[in-house]
Amino acid sequence: MEKKNRIRNKRLRMVLAFLLVVNLSCSEHTEEVCNMTDATILISENIRTPFDTTTADILIEEIEKRTTLRLSVEETWKNRPIIALALQDDKDIRGLMIPKAENEHTVRLEKEGFRLQHLLIEGQHVILITGADIRGVLYGIGKFLRILETSKGNISVKSDLDFKATPKYALRGHQFGYRNTANSWDSWTVEQFDQHFREQVLFGANSFENIPFQDPNSSVHFKIDPQQMEVELSKICTKYDVDYWAWTPAPEDLTAKNAHEIGLQEQEEFYARCPRLNGIFVPGGDPGENHPSVLIPYLEDLSKILLKYHPNAGIWVSLQGFNEEKTTYFFEYLKNNKPDWLRGLVNGPSSPPLAFERSQLPKKYQYRFYPDITHTVRCHYPVERWDQAYALTLGREPCNPQPRHYAELFRRDVPHTDGFITYSDGSHDDLNKVVWSQLGFDSDMDVKNIVSEYCRFFFGNDVVEEATEGIFSLEKNWEGPLLGNVTVKNTLGLWQALEREHATMNSSNWRWQQLIMRAYYDAYIQDRLTYEKKLEENVYKILAEAKNLGADEAMAKALQELEKVDKTKVSPHLREKVFQYAEALFESIGAQTSVPKYGARSAERGAILDFIDYPLNNRWWLEDQFKDISQYKTEKAKLERLDFIRTYEHPGEGSFYDNISSADAQHVTSETDDAIDYLWENDGRSRKRLSTQLFQFTPTLSYENLEPKVNYMIRVSGLGEALLRANGERLKPTKYEKGFEEFKEFPVPADLIEEGRLKISFDKPDEEHLNWRKQSRVTDVWLLKQ
């Protein structure tokens, strides 16, 4: 017995010693961390081919990129750390027994769900990635890679790892149209799309939507024929077991001869080419204005052809651009006919409101959101109160990481739906896609954690905190007036420090490149704005002396002041950096930041270099005004017009002026409802007064502490009608001009102003029959003391 006790005690000491070694090997400072550098990969036999190869390739390749270590896949488990991939019903993985759940009532993983655990099995460290299905395994791998601590020659993970997730929304995807409209993708190879789709999947996406039927000659950047790429993208989706969609408008006029049949034939050829196709989205409008009475039969015929080649695919349609009659017709049809050929409804820009469509849609149909997360102006989700200097230069498609803004919009809108496939037209919105994909998994997720994992995954462990702060700082750059925004220079300093300390990424990582380029661009625009606004102030000081100088001499001196911008270059080092990173982005991902230099499709499509020197004061407008004034016949007329120009934004003590959509408007309380608040004409090179290039359709303004017993007059500039109310009472105009930079004037009786307070609002005129470009809008409002 004594001998047996000695043997037992010896074994116990050995076990304790082993556990001590294990504990020490899993410790780093005060956090328990397990070193997985020598790990091997085990893959369950139930993860069928080809997904066993796909999952292994992801782990091996992504870890090798970050560590230079190349892990191997083993057929049996060995006396080494293990990364194991399993499905939730697996009891063992190639002989490695999986511990039973804590209790028999443990909730099973739902569709696409996963669990990520660190376990000690027979003395070995095991990272167990368990999926409810193949997609669940992929999402588990994504989470593992996003939290993995990596450096050259080292892999480690926290030993208390136990994470479980199931996606809240069934549909989580993004549109990737291989077409010339995209500001980078038309330059991509199949290999680049494969890597990018992989990365999107690792952050939770399960759907990708292409835009087929592109003319092979429409882009000089195409690496392969668009019809071939249509098939290759389908294959990539098959490889990662995600859904492949296509955005395919109906013929614009289905009542035209043979239009119905031609549309079906083109679609059938596409369906036949694709090895995988899960959804066809036909927008009801944008483009096209077909009535549902002709669109519905087309969709029904389309569904028959689709099911012939892809039995599990579905037809989806949106009501974009539908008026009340079309909308009523469509929902009455669904109610009365309950068609099985329709899979679901899509809500896109210019669709009826989300809550309304959800309430009208029968429960048998799914509801998909099609939000625009790629544009900044003239779009679905505008940047709120964006400074005009940014709008005129960065334009519609700059690098636009807005994690907090898009998280707020997601939580407001997506709950009405079953999920989303976002609208995107380039790589500039990359972070926004990740935010939406991750919130699609867990809408309560801390957006800071999402950004941190983004930075760890793409930039590495040693820059996570600084890069995360840098991204949120870029978003802050766009908050409020640009003049005096101290965040801009702080943001630049942060990214410059990262640029110096991590030089290898400056030339090799396109996500890094576009973020740093934005920091330089914002700072350059701020410096230009500060300088050019000062020049304009000097011009008005010169015009104040016009009576003494003479009108012509005053205009000559004013022009000389404005022309200083050509002679004194502001912050050229910042501008040069922008161009350097633009070149790097063209080399890395074909980003087309200029029409003449890089072949961007048009000025609105990410061509930020072409507008980097756009005047940020009223120089062009003043030049044109001076040219006209020089032709006036009398000195008096010249001086009167010069005085009007000088006092345009400075109407005098006790009076007020507001540039309606400017970030620094003092009295405007409204936000534009659809971002059509930045005029776009002459390819973005309008010579109109800057205030004329911003507008709202029905703005509201509020004034406090007005003088008692004083009459005021409201002056309005804009286009078309102005149905104005003051403190709720509709006012009658004494002057009513309808053109740009013409004026409407409304007297305000003193007794209408209550306790020094005045609220101005505008009724919306009945103009649904007009294109938005011709609808009435307000650009400038004055409250003038009489």
Side-chain angles (χ1 to χ4, degrees), residues 335-353:
K335 179 181 177 181
N336 296 329
N337 295 276
K338 302 177 178 63
D340 293 328
W341 54 262
L342 182 67
R343 180 68 55 84
L345 182 67
V346 178
N347 181 286
S350 75
S351 284

Side-chain angles (χ1 to χ4, degrees), residues 675-732:
I676 307 172
D677 60 336
Y678 292 90
L679 189 66
W680 180 261
E681 62 178 17
N682 193 29
D683 262 354
R685 296 191 170 276
S686 172
R687 294 182 67 89
K688 283 187 171 67
R689 184 178 178 83
L690 296 186
S691 63
T692 307
Q693 297 183 51
L694 293 91
F695 56 87
Q696 292 188 34
F697 292 114
T698 55
T700 58
L701 299 93
S702 179
Y703 302 84
E704 302 284 341
N705 302 316
L706 298 179
E707 294 185 35
K709 299 180 181 180
V710 170
N711 290 327
Y712 287 88
M713 181 180 71
I714 300 171
R715 178 190 293 160
V716 176
S717 185
L719 181 72
E721 307 294 339
L723 309 182
L724 185 145
R725 292 182 183 272
N727 283 343
E729 182 174 322
R730 185 80 163 265
L731 298 187
K732 294 182 179 180

